[in-house]
Amino acid sequence: MASSGTTATGVGAARPAARHTERLTVPLWMWPVAVLVAGVLAAEIGLGAPGLRTWMPYAVLLPLALAGLWRLGRIRVAVTGDEFQVDDARLPLRAVSRAIALDGATRRELLGPSADPLAFVVQRPWIAEAVQVVLDDPDDITPYWVVSTRRPDALARALNEAAAAAR
C-alpha cells in the first residue's frame, strides 16, 4: 500500500532536501484558553477540599492541558525528494497523480457531503485551507489524501513538481 510504505536510509546516506515543510501548530490564543479552562476545572474539582486535594487537580490538569495542545500541534507536513510525509504517514511521489489547493469552502465540501470514506485525512479545524492529493496507485484503495496546510498553493506546487520529477 502506498500510504504505509517507508523508506529506509542507511547510516551516512544523504537525505533529499525538503521542497516544502511546515508544522501544523496550534494557534497561540489556544494556549491561554487551555490553561484557563484547566484552571477553572481544577478549581471546581478542588473546591472546599482541604490539604492535598486542594492543589492536586492543578498539578494534574494544567500539565495535561499543555501536553494535549503540544500533541495536537506536532504534525509535520513535508515534501522531500521522493515522498510526501504527513506525521508518520509516507506517500511515494510516484503514486501522486496531482495535488489541488483547497480553500475553506471546498475543504468543507470535500470532507462533508462529498467525502469518500476511504480517503486519508489529516485535518486541523483551526486551519481553513487544505490540499487534496489525488492518487494513481492500483495497489492502494485510498483515492486521495486531504491534508490541512497554511500554505496550500505552495504545497500543491511542490507536490506537483516533485511528482512530475519522480515519474
Side-chain angles (χ1 to χ4, degrees):
M1 266 190 157
S3 60
S4 62
T6 58
T7 303
T9 56
V11 176
R15 293 203 63 156
R19 297 172 189 230
H20 176 91
T21 185
E22 71 178 296
R23 193 165 294 276
L24 303 180
T25 58
V26 295
L28 291 176
W29 64 266
M30 284 182 123
W31 293 91
V33 169
V35 169
L36 180 67
V37 169
V40 168
L41 184 60
E44 288 290 325
I45 292 171
L47 193 62
L52 179 66
R53 288 180 286 162
T54 302
W55 61 267
M56 185 59 77
Y58 293 98
V60 172
L61 291 177
L62 290 173
L64 199 61
L66 296 176
L69 280 184
W70 174 81
R71 179 139 169 78
L72 281 174
R74 72 176 184 84
I75 300 291
R76 181 176 173 267
V77 176
V79 178
T80 63
D82 59 346
E83 65 185 9
F84 179 42
Q85 304 170 356
V86 180
D87 196 24
D88 294 334
R90 305 284 190 256
L91 177 67
L93 290 173
R94 67 182 181 282
V96 174
S97 174
R98 69 184 183 283
I100 306 161
L102 306 173
D103 61 359
T106 309
R107 178 188 62 98
R108 277 189 300 278
E109 178 70 25
L110 192 60
L111 295 178
S114 300
D116 187 323
L118 297 176
F120 176 80
V121 178
V122 175
Q123 191 262 104
R124 292 297 182 245
W126 55 84
I127 301 174
E129 295 87 12
V131 167
Q132 179 186 20
V133 182
V134 180
L135 304 183
D136 182 24
D137 185 359
D139 297 331
D140 193 352
I141 61 171
T142 307
Y144 57 85
W145 286 23
V146 176
V147 179
S148 291
T149 178
R150 289 188 173 92
R151 302 177 298 170
D153 293 325
L155 178 56
R157 183 173 42 257
L159 275 167
N160 287 327
E161 289 171 0
R167 286 189 215 115

